[in-house]
Amino acid sequence: MRVRFAWGLVALLGLAGVSAAASDPRLTRARVQAQQSCRALLTGDYATVVKLTYPAVVQGIGGAERMVEVLRSGRQRMHAEGAAFHDAYARDPEALVAAGEDLLTIVPMVVVMKVPGGRLTQRSFLLGVSSDGGQTWTFIDGANLTLNNVTTIL
């Protein structure tokens, strides 16, 4: 199962640049749900962030309550250092790849933070995973994702 996910991710990365979001409602749902996660992060709605996070990631952190604690304390540390989220948004994913019974997609995202002395814009991605044919999606933050740790998570 992990091998299929790894190869699915490799195939998905290889297809980046092939735009299909406008014609595939599954990709539209992935972007909309990723945007919900971005908005929830901005507003401090950590229950929604947890709900839209891939379950193995939530469990790896120690469960939903622990993940909420980690998100809250991270935000408090940011504020103490003079930083704050200003904006976060998802862009259109470009391709779907089947990995076993699941679908994978990469949802590009942008996070803008206020930092002392200005703003910081970070481009990243969310790895979307759907186990129901693209109706609902959960996400893994791609900022620190590698082929080695993605096979452990998936």
Side-chain angles (χ1 to χ4, degrees), residues 6-16 97:
W7 282 113
L9 183 59
V10 169
L12 189 60
L13 290 170
L15 290 174
V97 170

Side-chain angles (χ1 to χ4, degrees), residues 3 36 39 50 93:
V3 172
Q36 290 171 348
R39 287 289 160 219
V50 170

Side-chain angles (χ1 to χ4, degrees), residues 1 18 154:
M1 181 72 142
V18 180
L154 295 173

Side-chain angles (χ1 to χ4, degrees), residues 13 21 35-36 63 68-69 113 120 126:
L13 290 170
Q35 184 61 42
Q36 290 171 348
V68 168
E69 290 173 22
M113 297 181 63
L120 172 70
L126 297 171

Side-chain angles (χ1 to χ4, degrees), residues 73-98:
S73 66
R75 185 178 212 118
Q76 289 170 347
R77 273 194 316 276
M78 281 177 31
H79 283 283
E81 295 172 1
F85 288 113
H86 175 71
D87 198 7
Y89 53 92
R91 295 192 171 183
D92 288 332
E94 297 178 343
L96 287 171
V97 170

Side-chain angles (χ1 to χ4, degrees), residues 71-144:
L71 291 167
R72 272 199 187 109
S73 66
R75 185 178 212 118
Q76 289 170 347
R77 273 194 316 276
M78 281 177 31
H79 283 283
E81 295 172 1
F85 288 113
H86 175 71
D87 198 7
Y89 53 92
R91 295 192 171 183
D92 288 332
E94 297 178 343
L96 287 171
V97 170
E101 306 242 342
D102 294 330
L103 292 175
L104 303 178
T105 192
I106 292 177
V107 183
M109 66 176 288
V110 176
V111 176
V112 181
M113 297 181 63
K114 292 180 186 176
V115 296
R119 289 191 181 171
L120 172 70
T121 300
Q122 178 181 357
R123 295 181 195 324
S124 188
F125 68 94
L126 297 171
L127 174 61
V129 182
S130 177
S131 298
D132 61 5
Q135 294 297 310
T136 59
W137 293 87
T138 56
F139 301 96
I140 302 168
D141 183 0
N144 297 309

